[in-house]
Each structure stands twice: as structure tokens, then as C-alpha cells.
Amino acid sequence: MANKDRIPEKMTAIAISQPGGPRVLKPETRDVPVPGPGEVLIRVHAAGVNRPDVQQRKGAYPPPPGASDLPGLEVAGEIAALGDDISRWRIGDRVCALTPGGGYAEYVKVHAGSVLPIPAGFTYSEAAAVPENYFTVWHNVFERGGLKKGETLLVHGGSSGIGTTAIQLASAFGATVFTTAGSKDKCDACLKLGADRAINY
């Protein structure tokens, strides 16, 4: 692992002490994870809060097998160390990343393929809100679904994080966007984001 000498052995992490509300999130001392081949270690500056994090805190969303028990599916920070076989990233690079969990900590290890450079002009806090929604929409709508300019996309739950991202990306790439949402205010918000029509269900 490159840069091993500058990484502490211990870190502070925010763990779920028991299922419940926000007060069950407690600081704990944990070992700093060690990146393996194809992984990077990120010094976390900001972490996103997503529905799965909230559900995990409530005890309704167990982490996948082999994933950290800590919440935190998206982070922004800087590369602190490199596992073997990493060529794209350098120590000190400002990045955001989608994680399998563990983002509510000072350090998190992430597969290098789940890391993106922080967009120009973004703060760490802004960048930490990018990976979960944008990776999900890009992969499902554009890579798997193959959405192209001139086609039509229906987005259910258009005012959700995934929904607002899908509306903006599809609209930016020249698709016609229909969406559903649960109130007039939510429908109006979808229209402002670029939806061509919003249906209040």
C-alpha cells in the first residue's frame, strides 16, 4: 500500500449503537481500513446521507455481506493511500466515491472503479451528494437502458434524489421526460428541473 507511513492506525467513526433515531449514532474508535488490490483509501471530508443510511440506522437495511457495518454510501475527500494495481489515482487527488458502506468515518476504502474526480468548483460537501444518485441514474438509464436524445423517459417519484437526478440528466441529454410525484408542489419542482410533464398521483 502506497503512503502507509502517513496513515494513522486508528480513526473515529460514527457507528449505529442500536436501531433507532439519530441519537443512536455514536462516535467509536475503529481501525483504519487497509486498501487491497484495486482499492483506494479516502480521507473523508464529507459524507452524504441517503435513504439506505437512514433505514440501516433504523435496523431495516442490513449491510451487504462483507461490507462495513458503518453507514455512509457516498463520500468526498482526498486519496490518502493506494492499494496495488492503481494507475489512475494519485495520493492527494480530490475525489468523491460510492462506497459499499463505511463512509461515516475519517477514512474509508473504496474500489477504484467507484471513484470520480470532484467536479470543478464543487466543495467537499457538494461533491459528497453526487455519487449515489448520479452513479445509479447513469448506470441504469444510460448504460443499461441506453437512453438517447429524442427518446422519452418516465420517472416515478420525480422529487426523490434519484428522480431529480434522472430528470436533470435525461433533459440535458435531449430526452423528453414525464414524471410522477405525490403533490402539486413536488410536481412543480419536477417541472422546474426540466420535466416536460409531471403527473400528481
Side-chain angles (χ1 to χ4, degrees), residues 70-82:
L70 299 172
L73 298 177
E74 59 185 349
V75 299
E78 59 187 280
I79 302 280
L82 306 171

Side-chain angles (χ1 to χ4, degrees), residues 16 18-20 51-63:
I16 300 168
Q18 63 186 40
R51 188 167 189 262
D53 299 314
V54 174
Q55 293 300 100
Q56 182 180 350
R57 189 199 72 221
K58 292 178 177 180
Y61 187 87

Side-chain angles (χ1 to χ4, degrees), residues 40-131:
V40 300
L41 183 69
I42 297 174
R43 181 178 293 112
V44 177
H45 288 255
V49 178
N50 290 280
R51 188 167 189 262
D53 299 314
V54 174
Q55 293 300 100
Q56 182 180 350
R57 189 199 72 221
K58 292 178 177 180
Y61 187 87
S68 170
D69 65 321
L70 299 172
L73 298 177
E74 59 185 349
V75 299
E78 59 187 280
I79 302 280
L82 306 171
D84 293 337
D85 304 321
I86 301 295
S87 58
R88 177 177 181 187
W89 302 109
R90 300 286 177 259
I91 292 168
D93 284 349
R94 287 171 32 95
V95 296
C96 56
L98 186 63
T99 80
Y104 288 11
E106 291 181 286
Y107 292 89
V108 64
K109 69 177 180 177
V110 180
H111 188 277
S114 297
V115 178
L116 288 174
I118 290 180
F122 275 50
T123 65
Y124 285 117
S125 295
E126 291 166 337
V130 169

Side-chain angles (χ1 to χ4, degrees), residues 167-189:
I167 290 168
Q168 292 174 84
L169 285 177
S171 179
F173 280 84
T176 299
V177 181
F178 296 121
T179 187
T180 64
S183 72
K184 182 182 183 312
D185 288 344
K186 289 179 179 181
C187 286
D188 289 345

